[in-house]
């Protein structure tokens, strides 16, 4: 049962105020001792011609004997509600146990499609640690929107087009080593790409050759297309290895190349609508009325740019998916770019452009640069993930040498630690990379939350079969009630995360839940000799409910749980 809705309905019936208005006025007190909910009666004073204090006192008396509200206390002009703890605990815990991993899910997104574009690495370029910010954020948002009932499509807008491919084809023809590329595709392709730039400084004619190769690629010449496809396939193979480590997948890998033949229509539409003007030979859309620099659609040489491709991509997505939201998880540095293209689409009269959103994020910073990587200044994501797993294995081996499945646990905990770090704060904050913080089993970290889950599972295993019908009247202490109250907030955390496009609300929620669970574990013995059977059984039910919600919340963050640590 939704206790907030129940309380709002009762207030609405008793005072005649519309339910919607009551719902807006109801507050959650800052401290548990002040009640579960509070209703300010000041807005009723004029209509009822009474002082708020008197209204609160009269309303409180009408809640006497309520099954779900144990006490409605008038304090000044406020009416503070205290739930019946036994009833509330029974309702929440039983609902979690009945629904399992479906607890907290919603149908609010039913019939609506949300597109989430994220990760989007460049072909033949390193998949570095900076890509994890967009990948972790996008993966988590996709899961959160699905949890709320939306039909989610995951899009990987690969950087697989542009003049750099002419340079890479030229470099491959001059210095390509197929055997070396087969062993380390990204590393070798990057190596010859860098060599091209070094040699082009000495021999500028190489740039002309590269442009010729890209022109032939655009024209669909067999040799250039074959090499471009080879580079793309090799890159995706390496990217997939990292995606598999993270549990990430996509519904579409349509990159920039996919939209190359769709840009002429965009140019034609903007021209027909009279939006294109000339500026230094280029064709632009003037956005001066919005205090935004003009958006270039065609360069002076007639070539298209990123903006043209992104507008073509948005138009294609609208026609293909008829989306409710089209979310771009891209760094803050691209904020102006998205302002421009969204503004152009709105000027074109495309109402659906209102559903396009740029979800930006900060930078990744390294205070000491002490990361073991074989690639010099480029910090490969795969190296970071492997090092995190290795460091986690060292910690577990030292602390729990007898654990049988150390390698499997280390992989889940090590990768979870990295993901958690990228989702623990508001996405606009920069990430300061620190192994000590990430792998702190006692601090604000994935290992701490994962250990809390493993502790709960260990209790349940030791207890054996648990009676599912429990008497919760004996488990209403502050510690027990605070924990169950937190369970009831799971949906709100997920809904807020979607509303703000901020997974950190789920991260903060599950961390606080783990922290409250550990307080409960210390204060409320479960399997200790002498604990009455009905108390033990009720507490075991609470433990199982907590484990269920921790697992679900971590899943929304892309983090796996472990059964023992």
């Amino acid at each position: 049962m939704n206790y907030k809705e129940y309380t709002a309905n009762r207030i609405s019936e008793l005072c005649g105020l519309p339910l919607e208005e009551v719902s807006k006025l109801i507050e959650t007190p800052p401290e548990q001792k002040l009640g579960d909910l509070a209703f300010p009666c000041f807005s009723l004073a004029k209509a009822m011609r009474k002082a708020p204090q008197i209204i609160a006192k009269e309303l409180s008396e009408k809640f006497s004997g309520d099954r779900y509200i144990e006490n409605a206390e008038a304090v000044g002009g406020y009416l503070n509600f205290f739930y019946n703890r036994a009833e509330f605990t029974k309702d929440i815990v039983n609902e979690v146990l009945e629904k399992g991993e479906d607890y907290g899910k919603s149908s609010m997104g039913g019939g609506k499609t949300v597109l989430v574009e994220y990760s989007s690495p460049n072909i033949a370029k390193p998949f570095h640690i900076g890509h994890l910010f967009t990948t972790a954020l996008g993966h988590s948002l996709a899961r959160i929107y699905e949890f709320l009932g939306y039909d989610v499509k995951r899009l990987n807008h690969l950087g697989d087009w542009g003049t750099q491919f002419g340079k890479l084809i030229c470099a491959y023809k001059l210095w390509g080593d197929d055997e070396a590329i087969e062993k380390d595709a990204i590393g070798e392709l990057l190596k010859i790409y860098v060599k091209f730039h070094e040699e082009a400084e000495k021999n500028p004619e190489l740039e002309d050759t590269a442009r010729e190769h890209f022109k032939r690629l655009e024209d669909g010449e067999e040799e250039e297309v074959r090499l471009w496809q080879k580079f793309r396939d090799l890159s995706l193979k390496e990217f997939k290895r990292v995606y598999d480590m993270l549990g990430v997948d996509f519904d579409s890998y349509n990159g920039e190349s996919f939209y190359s033949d769709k840009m002429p229509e965009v140019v034609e539409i903007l021209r027909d609508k009279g939006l294109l003007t000339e500026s230094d030979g280029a064709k632009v859309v003037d956005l001066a009325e919005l205090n935004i620099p003009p958006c270039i659609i065609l360069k002076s040489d007639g070539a298209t740019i990123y903006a043209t491709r992104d507008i073509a991509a948005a138009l294609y997505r609208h026609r293909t998916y008829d989306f409710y939201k089209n979310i771009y998880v891209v760094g803050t540095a691209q904020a102006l770019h998205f302002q421009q293209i969204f503004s152009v689409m709105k000027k074109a009269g495309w109402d659906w452009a209102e559903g396009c959103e740029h979800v930006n994020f900060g930078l990744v910073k390294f205070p000491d640069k002490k990361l073991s990587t074989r690639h010099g200044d480029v910090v490969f994501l795969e190296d970071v993930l492997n090092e995190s797993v290795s460091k986690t294995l060292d910690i577990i081996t030292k602390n729990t040498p007898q654990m049988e499945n150390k390698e499997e646990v280390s992989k889940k905990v090590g990768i979870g630690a990295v993901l958690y770090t990228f989702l623990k704060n508001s996405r606009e904050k920069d990430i300061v990379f620190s192994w000590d913080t990430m792998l702190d089993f006692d601090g604000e970290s994935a290992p701490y939350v994962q250990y809390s889950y493993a502790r709960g599972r260990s209790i349940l295993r030791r207890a054996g079969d648990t009676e599912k019908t429990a008497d919760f009247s004996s488990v209403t202490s502050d510690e027990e009630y605070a924990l169950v109250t937190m369970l009831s907030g799971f949906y709100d955390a997920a809904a807020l995360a979607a509303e703000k496009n901020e997974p950190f609300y789920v991260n903060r929620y599950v961390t606080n839940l783990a922290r409250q669970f550990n307080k409960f574990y210390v204060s409320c013995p479960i399997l200790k000799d002498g604990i009455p059977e009905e108390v033990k059984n009720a507490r075991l039910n609470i433990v199982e409910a907590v484990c269920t919600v921790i697992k679900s919340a971590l899943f929304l963050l892309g983090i796996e749980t472990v059964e023992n640590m």
Side-chain angles (χ1 to χ4, degrees), residues 15 30 48 105 109 113 185 195 227 247 266 276 344 383 395 405 429 443 472 480 503 537:
C15 68
M48 299 180 73
K105 284 186 177 180
T113 298
K195 184 171 183 177
L227 290 174
V266 167
L276 289 184
V344 169
D383 290 343
I395 294 170
N405 57 338
K429 287 188 176 182
F472 293 99
E480 290 160 324
N537 190 52

Side-chain angles (χ1 to χ4, degrees), residues 59-204:
L59 283 176
S60 70
E61 293 170 356
K62 294 178 180 179
F63 279 89
S64 176
D66 190 284
R67 175 183 172 185
Y68 300 106
I69 297 171
E70 191 166 285
N71 184 27
E73 183 179 285
V75 180
Y78 279 85
L79 187 58
N80 293 341
F81 294 94
F82 296 82
Y83 297 151
N84 180 318
R85 289 188 172 187
E87 283 291 332
F88 182 83
T89 300
K90 181 184 74 173
D91 285 350
I92 297 300
V93 173
N94 285 344
E95 185 181 357
V96 176
L97 298 184
E98 180 185 335
K99 292 184 176 178
E101 292 176 16
D102 286 335
Y103 175 74
K105 284 186 177 180
S106 165
S107 58
M108 66 181 290
K112 297 176 181 176
T113 298
V114 171
L115 312 181
V116 187
E117 178 196 305
Y118 58 103
S119 198
S120 307
N122 291 318
I123 294 300
K125 296 286 182 67
F127 199 151
H128 57 74
I129 186 64
H131 286 113
L132 185 56
F133 219 148
T134 168
T135 305
L137 269 173
H139 183 50
S140 179
L141 284 174
R143 286 188 169 184
I144 289 168
Y145 276 104
E146 279 183 333
F147 188 75
L148 298 174
Y150 293 90
D151 178 19
V152 176
K153 303 297 181 186
R154 297 161 169 81
L155 313 179
N156 195 335
H157 188 74
L158 297 168
D160 63 356
W161 204 244
T163 55
Q164 68 267 28
F165 284 96
K167 297 176 182 180
L168 188 58
I169 291 169
C170 180
Y172 175 81
K173 283 182 166 291
L174 290 170
W175 310 294
D177 181 339
D178 283 333
E179 189 176 334
I181 289 173
E182 199 63 39
K183 289 180 181 176
D184 180 14
I186 300 294
E188 190 64 22
L189 291 175
L190 176 63
K191 178 181 169 183
I192 62 173
Y193 184 73
V194 170
K195 184 171 183 177
F196 172 88
H197 286 279
E198 293 171 349
E199 295 298 322
E201 289 183 9
K202 298 179 249 179
N203 180 12

